[in-house]
Amino acid sequence: MTRLLPFLHDELAPFPGRMNVALRAIAASAIVIVASMTLEVPYLAVSLIVVFYATQANVVVTRLIALLFLAGVTLAVGCTVLVLKLTFDVPLLRIVFASAIFFCCLYAMRIFQFGIVFFVAALVTIYVQTFVDVTEDAESIVRATLWVWAAVGYPIAVTLIINSLLLPAEPRDQMRRLMVAKLAVVQACLEAWLDGSTARAPLTAHDVESTTTALQKLLRFSGMRGKLDALAQSRDLATVTAVSNLYVAASNLRPSVAPSAPLAARGRALRDACAVLARAIENDEPFAVVAPGAPQSDPNAASTQAAEPPWALVAMNRALLDLAACMTAQTVDMHAPPRQPVLAKDAWTNPVYGQFALKTLLAVLVCYLFYNSADWQGVHTVMLTCLVVAQPGLGASSRRSVLRFWGAVGGSLLALFVVVFVLPQIDSIAALLVAVLPVLFAGAWIAAGSERISYAGVQLMFTFSLAFLEQFAPTFDLTEIRDRMVGIFLGIAVATFVQITLWPEGEAALLRRRLSASLASIAKLLAPGDAQRETSAVAHARIAAWAALSDCEGLLLRVALEPTWREGEEERVTLLANSVLAAARELLLAADALRSASDAAGAALPARLDERMRDFASRAASAIAEYARGLAEPAPSASAPRLPGVIEDRAGESERGAELLAEAERVRRAVSSLPDWVGDAAASPLALQAGAHHD
């Protein structure tokens, strides 16, 4: 309970955009309820779940999910009608054909980027089999199947209209608001530095990671919107890169005593330039003001003043200068955000995909045999549960199972309360909406949260709707609520047993490999290279590294939920992975700080110190790369690096040299914080299964 309450507090707390998503979902749901009840369109619960799935954070994702849903249900209905036409009189052949389609859909769900199309197709294919067990009338079965398409199709149209006209969330507007908010944080950091205040908490590596990845996602969605030309998209990319660089530099701005008058003037100039940039972003105008923090002809030149500016100020100035130069050059020659491949590289060689499809099919068939043998049609949700909780990786499956169970419990209890106490008072469609919409809003609010809780909101709404809204007249049959809960519980039990015992797909080894790749990319950033290396190339590599660490964080959350037969091993792997991830975040920030400090020193750096710094950077990069190679081994052999400092005595060094040595010491501490990871249960069956085939 001590962990549950803080978790719920964090996950249910409001954040910018959450109310917008919930209101759009409720508006579309209200229209769908009225239309389905008035026109007697069946499968209202299915229509509502389509609304919830399609209503996303912005218009681009909403349209993409909606169209994929429509494509998936069209594919499923077409295949199902064809199977029924050919095999209706031969039950065994019908099951074989449906199983083959189901298997192909599950395989395609794993290998294609848009796997939701095939997930919907598999869901409808297996759901329609329950129609055949209820009636032998072929015409009514075909009509019921076609009504599934209608129940999915028209809510998609309603959702698209609502999301385009009512409180539309454009990804580019979201991106601009986020950049303005982050620039305000940068200005606050500069204010704290100018005042010499230590009251403000410094920005953490996690803050930098979340900001960088969020901006990149919104930039990609903005490009998918297709409303801007190549030049405008290039300007957006340059602006996002500049804001990310400013935020990184602000995280490295150390509080100290109040700066001298010349340094304070530079700090105020940069603060004002950030304010100008924020106004330009708000007004959607090009940034045309050059920051006066350094001479425009040579922004890297050493200061002639007694006190040199901190390298973080120099890095901020360079970011603003580069942005102004890009706006002036009117160029589109920049690094575009990476695009994910449509088809997995190992689509036809990785046996994990086929094993996943086969064991999920086996679980579904076992449940199908059970509820037909028991002649208990009310628990047909047992089959759907096996598919819904089947996720890549045991951790993801465990999380989906828990969310489905508790979401179903919440939805069933709410349905029970409404049926017993509220339903007798309902005598109109308006009263029905008053009774239903608060429950749907609660589900929408939860569904708009993070992936750690969002599916529980969808399941709460769906279970409530199945029990309360499936009939066009009041129903007081409480056995349906009981049967669906039993079906969900049994489905989770069967699916979990099959997932664990047949080709368990653990992700612990995959997590190590991802962490290894992230550390290797950080080592390349740290390694000394061409001094004239493009700033945009460095920024692109840094952004890619932050994105990789963000992916590792999501993977770590799933690994922590993996069931294991070895007591204590889950905690050990999670603890080690969390330590590596924290060290990698700090290392990436420190490596970028060292590079920026070295660039700020430029030619003013003494040859002796420059040689020492290059040697240190080379040894640090080699140590990180060696650790990464050990981490990627099937039986990990990554020993904590022991990296000596650059120099013991800093006396006599210039201010810039001392600053550079301090950043080198920060890198050394980050490298030394990498933990020993030698011979753990990556050799366990779950980890070896994933490590042998995954990447």
Side-chain angles (χ1 to χ4, degrees), residues 102-430:
F102 186 80
F103 178 89
C104 293
C105 288
L106 287 174
Y107 194 95
M109 185 180 80
R110 290 293 302 269
I111 65 175
F112 284 100
Q113 180 184 359
F114 304 126
I116 189 173
V117 173
F118 303 99
F119 171 78
V120 174
L123 192 68
V124 174
T125 299
I126 206 66
Y127 181 57
V128 168
Q129 303 311 309
T130 63
F131 298 166
V132 185
D133 301 318
V134 175
T135 178
E136 296 182 357
D137 184 3
E139 181 179 353
S140 63
I141 294 173
V142 172
R143 288 175 62 85
T145 304
L146 294 177
W147 270 117
V148 171
W149 189 91
V152 171
Y154 97 86
I156 287 177
V158 171
T159 304
L160 290 177
I161 293 173
I162 291 296
N163 282 266
S164 299
L165 300 180
L166 178 64
L167 301 175
E170 291 286 349
R172 190 165 184 269
D173 294 339
Q174 293 176 319
M175 180 179 69
R176 288 164 52 200
R177 286 195 295 269
L178 181 59
M179 287 193 290
V180 170
K182 296 308 175 182
L183 285 173
V185 175
V186 173
Q187 294 176 67
C189 291
L190 285 169
E191 284 284 359
W193 179 80
L194 287 169
D195 296 337
S197 171
T198 59
R200 178 181 176 81
L203 299 177
T204 65
H206 194 276
D207 294 331
V208 175
E209 175 191 307
S210 60
T211 296
T212 304
T213 53
L215 286 175
Q216 286 298 303
K217 287 180 181 178
L218 291 173
L219 179 64
R220 184 169 65 251
F221 293 146
S222 179
M224 292 169 60
R225 189 75 167 92
K227 298 182 71 173
L228 302 176
D229 56 23
L231 180 58
Q233 292 182 18
S234 179
R235 286 177 174 173
D236 282 349
L237 176 57
T239 307
V240 166
T241 302
V243 173
S244 298
N245 290 339
L246 289 168
Y247 200 77
V248 170
S251 69
N252 288 295
L253 194 59
R254 301 288 183 270
S256 60
V257 297
S260 62
L263 286 184
R266 289 195 173 203
R268 286 191 293 270
L270 285 170
R271 180 198 59 194
D272 295 341
C274 289
V276 171
L277 175 57
R279 286 195 296 272
I281 294 173
E282 284 182 325
N283 299 327
D284 201 10
E285 298 172 350
F287 175 68
V289 177
V290 176
Q296 185 173 352
S297 58
D298 185 8
N300 297 324
S303 174
T304 59
Q305 300 167 0
E308 296 177 328
W311 69 261
L313 294 187
V314 178
M316 289 182 180
N317 183 77
R318 183 183 298 111
L320 293 167
L321 287 173
D322 290 343
L323 177 59
C326 176
M327 295 296 181
T328 304
Q330 302 286 313
T331 179
V332 296
D333 184 21
M334 293 192 67
H335 294 279
R339 295 183 179 275
Q340 296 181 347
V342 176
L343 184 68
K345 294 184 294 185
D346 56 350
W348 314 117
T349 58
N350 193 338
V352 169
Y353 304 139
Q355 293 167 358
F356 170 81
L358 187 58
K359 63 188 178 183
T360 305
L361 173 61
L362 177 61
V364 168
L365 291 179
V366 168
C367 293
Y368 182 77
L369 179 63
F370 162 74
Y371 95 85
N372 272 285
S373 301
D375 194 21
W376 195 357
Q377 299 298 325
V379 297
H380 66 269
T381 50
V382 67
M383 296 169 56
L384 304 181
T385 298
C386 290
L387 172 60
V388 169
V389 303
Q391 299 290 311
L394 288 173
S397 295
S398 298
R399 177 163 60 192
R400 181 60 67 91
S401 298
V402 171
L403 294 179
R404 182 171 175 83
F405 177 77
W406 288 112
V409 169
S412 298
L413 292 177
L414 288 172
L416 182 63
F417 175 83
V418 173
V419 167
V420 173
F421 296 104
V422 180
L423 186 59
Q425 314 301 324
I426 295 177
D427 57 1
S428 66
I429 189 67

Side-chain angles (χ1 to χ4, degrees), residues 564-695:
T564 177
W565 303 120
R566 301 180 60 173
E567 184 177 357
E569 192 51 48
E570 172 191 320
E571 292 80 2
R572 182 172 184 267
V573 171
T574 302
L575 179 62
L576 285 171
N578 194 52
S579 299
V580 173
L581 183 58
R585 285 196 187 107
E586 180 58 30
L587 184 55
L588 178 54
L589 209 56
D592 186 69
L594 181 61
R595 173 178 288 277
S596 298
S598 179
D599 291 345
L605 194 66
R608 174 185 58 83
L609 184 56
D610 180 61
E611 183 179 352
R612 283 180 176 271
M613 293 303 304
R614 294 179 67 85
D615 178 65
F616 170 78
S618 178
R619 286 187 287 112
S622 298
I624 298 168
E626 182 179 356
Y627 184 91
R629 286 192 294 270
L631 197 61
E633 294 295 328
S637 58
S639 300
R642 296 292 180 262
L643 192 65
V646 183
I647 189 170
E648 297 297 333
D649 185 12
R650 301 180 188 176
E653 293 292 345
S654 66
E655 183 178 348
R656 184 69 76 196
E659 193 176 59
L660 191 59
L661 289 172
E663 298 302 339
E665 175 62 19
R666 182 183 174 191
V667 171
R668 188 196 67 78
R669 290 196 304 268
V671 173
S672 300
S673 67
L674 290 167
D676 285 316
W677 196 333
V678 180
D680 66 18
S684 70
L686 300 187
L688 287 178
Q689 178 69 23
H693 305 300
H694 256 137
D695 197 358

